[in-house]
Amino acid sequence: MTIEQTGALPRLADRSPQITGAEIAASLVPPSQFERATFESYRPDHDYPSQAEAVATLKLFAKAWEPQRPAGLFSRSRKKVDAMKPGVYLDGGFGVGKTHLLAALWHEAPGPKYFGTFIEYTALVGALGYAGAVDLLRGSTLICIDEFELDDPGDTMMMTRMLGELVASGTRIAATSNTPPNALGEGRFAASDFLREIQSLSSNFQTLRIDGLDYRRRDTTGNAVTVDDAEYERVVAAMAARGETVTSDGFQDLIAHLATVHPSRYIKIIDGVDVIGLTGVEVLHDQMAALRLVAFIDRVYDAEIPVVQTGVPLSDVFDDDMLGGGYRKKYLRSMSRMIALTAGELPPHDD
């Protein structure tokens, strides 16, 4: 198979799916790698006691959904539960298990309940309108927001207002925010930023600080794995031959296509895909294109779809101006994810 022949493989750039508000709502569940996450399967690092303390507090938080004891029976733990705030914020660096704990809490809650990233909730508002989104989410027991974005004032204010209405109606909230992956300690804990940005809602949150090292032991000093043209052809051909759904796109073709699709629909672009192939990866100099790529990589990462690529390593696609600007945290997180996505095992050469 040659590079020209890989054109016979399906392209992501040819997919322009639609998505309804109901489909967005149905997708608001933990990513597949956390579909069985529990407090028991979380392994606290004994060198960082705050991890075990966070688990204990979240278990207490979850007791709010247990049936009340008969009137007159004294329960010290129940008094502690009743005294807890309706929101918890998991404050920790990259890779300490915040998403695992968030998903474990979600699994403990009775329905209706929702789990999604900040961008998925804003997409829901875009699809249904503010009032429609509030009506859909009202009555839920728990809303989990992974990676609450702090760099868009308008969306942050909208989410704060919506969460305030939901908390007032009895919904409980759990959240994390976008912190940099092992960026030499820069902004490692973001609780003060989070509480400042959500302003009037901040009094409803208890902060759980989770210290620790990235359990993946990854950082952004490595590089995404890139292959030459011949190896790319061999890899995608081998994967397609064993029955996997492999796509193959020129990098700039995909970047241009992402500009025509709302980020809420990126999840449907990759629906049913087993492996993503990208050729001719180049450094990006357009901030909007870079942010769209970040949103796309988030969906690919959640879906655990490996990436095979040629050209510049994906982890090097953000130029120096971007890495020195206001979206630095987003780019660092995305770089770490792209390293992971391209580091999967490749099919062996035939003897």
Side-chain angles (χ1 to χ4, degrees), residues 18-254:
Q18 299 298 314
I19 190 167
T20 65
E23 287 176 315
I24 296 173
S27 72
L28 292 176
V29 297
S32 58
Q33 62 265 46
F34 298 109
E35 64 184 9
R36 292 182 178 85
T38 65
F39 293 133
E40 288 68 32
S41 62
Y42 179 80
R43 295 289 180 261
D45 187 333
H46 296 300
D47 291 334
Y48 298 92
S50 61
Q51 294 186 10
E53 292 167 3
V55 172
T57 301
L58 288 172
K59 285 183 175 180
L60 193 64
F61 186 84
K63 285 183 177 294
W65 298 300
E66 292 182 356
Q68 292 276 6
R69 290 192 175 197
L73 290 182
F74 175 77
S75 171
R76 181 172 299 174
S77 64
R78 188 71 216 185
K79 290 184 70 175
K80 290 182 179 179
V81 172
D82 292 341
M84 293 190 77
K85 296 180 178 181
V88 288
Y89 172 72
L90 308 186
D91 175 25
F94 186 79
V96 297
K98 300 190 304 297
T99 302
H100 181 120
L101 291 175
L102 201 64
L105 180 63
W106 184 90
H107 287 300
E108 289 287 320
K113 55 189 175 181
Y114 300 94
F115 184 111
T117 62
F118 183 90
I119 194 171
E120 288 174 309
Y121 288 107
T122 57
L124 184 68
V125 174
L128 299 180
Y130 179 84
V134 172
D135 286 343
L136 175 71
L137 299 175
R138 184 180 285 113
S140 54
T141 57
L142 176 68
I143 290 178
C144 293
I145 307 168
D146 200 17
E147 297 168 2
F148 198 112
E149 304 288 358
L150 300 175
D151 43 32
D152 188 316
D155 282 347
T156 299
M157 289 179 63
M158 181 272 294
M159 280 292 290
T160 300
R161 177 188 168 199
M162 183 167 72
L163 293 177
E165 289 193 42
L166 296 172
V167 166
S169 68
T171 296
R172 298 169 77 80
I173 310 292
T176 70
S177 68
N178 51 333
T179 55
N182 286 351
L184 301 177
E186 176 200 60
R188 180 172 172 77
F189 296 98
S192 59
D193 295 333
F194 176 76
L195 296 175
R196 181 183 65 249
E197 294 301 327
I198 64 172
Q199 300 174 17
S200 60
L201 190 61
S202 62
S203 62
N204 291 292
F205 277 86
Q206 175 180 353
T207 297
L208 303 183
R209 179 163 175 163
I210 308 175
D211 298 279
L213 301 173
D214 181 351
Y215 75 92
R216 307 169 188 84
R217 301 299 189 267
R218 292 198 312 263
D219 59 33
T220 56
T221 60
N223 288 302
V225 177
T226 185
V227 298
D228 61 24
D229 289 350
E231 181 71 353
Y232 179 86
E233 293 165 3
R234 184 192 70 78
V235 169
V236 298
M239 290 179 168
R242 68 190 191 196
E244 299 193 60
T245 300
V246 183
T247 61
S248 182
D249 289 79
F251 180 68
Q252 288 298 342
D253 292 338
L254 178 62

Side-chain angles (χ1 to χ4, degrees), residues 7 14 44 52 70 85 101 131 167 234 261 276 281 295 297 299 323 325 332 343 351:
D14 292 331
K85 296 180 178 181
L101 291 175
V167 166
R234 184 192 70 78
V261 180
I276 292 173
V281 175
I297 290 296
R299 302 286 74 75
L323 293 178
L332 290 173
D351 292 331

